[in-house]
Amino acid sequence: MNNQREGSGILFPNERRKSEKAPDYTGTIFLNGHGMELSAWTKLGAKGQFLSVQVREPWKPQGNSSRRSTPSQVREGEALRARLLKGE
C-alpha cells in the first residue's frame, strides 16, 4: 500500500467469488492517508454496462490468513486498468 498515490486504487477480478452478491472485482484504494478495501460489481443499466463500487475499512484477517494479491493478479489488474483508461 505504501507505493500507492493518494486517491488512486486498483481492482482485480474476484477469483474467490462464491455467490451472486459477491463483488466481481476487489482491490485497494488509498484515501486520506489510509489503505481501504475497494469492491466493484458489474451492472447493466438503461445506458449500458457500468461498475457499482464500495469503499470500506480494511478487513483484518484472523490467524495466518492473508488477502494479498499475487504478482500475477497485480500484472493482470494493471493491464486491465491500462485498457480501461485507453477506452478499450
Side-chain angles (χ1 to χ4, degrees), residues 47-65:
K47 294 184 178 183
Q49 193 172 16
F50 65 95
L51 289 175
S52 173
V53 298
Q54 177 185 45
V55 177
R56 63 182 178 183
E57 293 290 327
W59 177 74
K60 303 250 191 267
Q62 301 295 321
N64 294 332
S65 178

Side-chain angles (χ1 to χ4, degrees), residues 17-38:
R17 190 168 191 246
K18 295 181 182 175
S19 77
E20 289 296 314
K21 292 185 178 183
D24 296 305
Y25 298 91
T26 58
T28 58
I29 188 166
F30 196 69
L31 295 173
N32 300 322
H34 301 286
M36 305 288 282
E37 278 192 2
L38 184 59

